[in-house]
Amino acid sequence: MTPLPPVVDATEIAGRDDIVLCDVRWYLDGRSGHDAYLAGHIAGAIWVNLDEHLSAHGAPAHGRHPLPDAQTFAASLGSLGISPDDPVVAYDDLNGTAAGRMVWMLRVLGHDAALLDGGLGSWTGSTETAPNVRAPCGCPMRAWPERAFVDIDGAADAGTSREVVLIDARGGDRFRGETEPVDPRPGHIPGAVNVPMTDNLGPEGRFANPETLRARYEAEGVETLASAAAESVGNNTVVYCGSGVSACMDALAMERAGLGRPRLYVGSWSQWSHTDRPAETV
């Protein structure tokens, strides 16, 4: 079948029994995503834990949601019953804030994956409360491609470069340092521009059309760049957020717009704010 685009409408996957539906609900305020799953989820969907399956655990200086190493992620996928040949559609109930992380992780590995546009609220098919568990399977390790990321030094360099656009995907109040509910310091990385991921969405919580998204990012200087790898198209952009999760929505929006894939600073503000590196609040 044709590979999945980065964002799909529920009607585009209706009737496909080859897709693994993944419920990736997670809440910054500490509510249990698993409890939400058990209260009601798309029929057939499995539960994916952002903290357990899509993140590593380390010192605060590494950020709140560092990536798991490639072997650990492969083991997680295998434990969930997801093989490299299984197309994945992930969703949450916050317009992709958490589920976008899983989709981005899979897509940078070349895995067929998409975000359900509008999330759980867009689903008009069957739902259920009984949990679903797939039989574990083998999932070989696929190395994280270096071209997909920058580290903290790369983020600092992006902020001072005339060739690279550094995008902060958080809301404007956090970007400007007016509030900081989670991390040690307010503000943003010097040189970053604010392109809140929520502004990619229309009033019903669905992504804007590709033309609108393209104009939005091109206005910030985002340009499509052909990668040295023939199978990859990227752009001149680095994205970050609070902990490398919601910024994946900006990344998927750029793909939807035909602008290629930006690099992600996974540590994001949760790592930067634990250092003595400068911060801006303007």
Side-chain angles (χ1 to χ4, degrees):
M1 289 189 177
T2 303
L4 292 166
V7 181
V8 294
D9 185 85
T11 59
E12 296 177 72
I13 60 171
R16 286 190 59 173
D17 57 8
D18 60 324
I19 287 174
V20 180
L21 287 164
C22 293
D23 188 311
V24 198
R25 277 181 277 182
W26 178 89
Y27 305 103
L28 187 62
D29 61 13
R31 284 177 291 151
S32 169
H34 189 244
D35 286 349
Y37 169 79
L38 294 176
H41 53 266
I42 294 174
I46 63 172
W47 160 248
V48 178
N49 188 321
L50 173 68
D51 293 312
E52 178 182 344
H53 299 122
L54 308 178
S55 306
H57 303 281
H62 297 152
R64 279 182 280 116
H65 291 107
L67 280 186
D69 63 59
Q71 186 62 56
T72 299
F73 185 49
S76 288
L77 291 176
S79 71
L80 291 166
I82 299 173
S83 80
D85 298 324
D86 291 322
V88 169
V89 172
Y91 71 90
D92 55 39
D93 57 3
L94 293 174
N95 304 314
T97 301
R101 166 76 167 235
M102 182 177 192
V103 172
W104 178 87
M105 290 169 69
L106 291 171
R107 290 182 71 86
V108 299
L109 293 176
H111 195 121
D112 198 14
L115 180 68
L116 180 62
D117 197 13
L120 181 61
S122 72
W123 188 256
T124 58
S126 300
T127 60
E128 61 186 357
T129 57
N132 296 294
V133 178
R134 293 172 60 87
C137 65
C139 186
M141 185 196 80
R142 292 166 287 181
W144 295 117
E146 291 185 8
R147 65 180 181 273
F149 315 98
V150 300
D151 59 13
I152 192 168
D153 292 325
D157 291 343
T160 61
S161 172
R162 293 185 178 182
E163 287 77 37
V164 180
V165 181
L166 178 63
I167 288 178
D168 187 317
R170 297 174 299 165
D173 54 347
R174 290 185 71 189
F175 176 81
R176 294 185 295 270
E178 296 166 3
T179 182
E180 181 46 64
V182 185
D183 295 314
R185 291 190 289 152
H188 60 267
I189 299 172
V193 296
N194 189 209
V195 187
M197 59 91 181
T198 51
D199 290 352
N200 292 321
L201 308 172
E204 296 183 352
R206 297 180 185 242
F207 276 79
N209 63 51
E211 295 74 22
T212 298
L213 292 171
R214 187 179 188 94
R216 182 176 186 234
Y217 287 104
E218 285 183 337
E220 300 293 346
V222 177
E223 299 176 354
T224 306
L225 302 173
S227 169
E231 75 280 3
S232 176
V233 176
N235 58 45
N236 62 330
T237 311
V238 171
V239 294
Y240 78 94
C241 55
S243 65
V245 175
S246 60
C248 294
M249 277 192 60
D250 265 3
L252 296 176
M254 286 182 223
E255 272 202 86
R256 176 176 169 85
L259 288 167
R261 184 180 296 135
R263 289 172 289 164
L264 176 66
Y265 169 35
V266 180
S268 287
W269 188 248
S270 62
Q271 180 183 42
W272 188 282
S273 62
H274 274 91
T275 73
D276 60 1
R277 292 174 184 254
E280 290 182 345
T281 55
V282 178

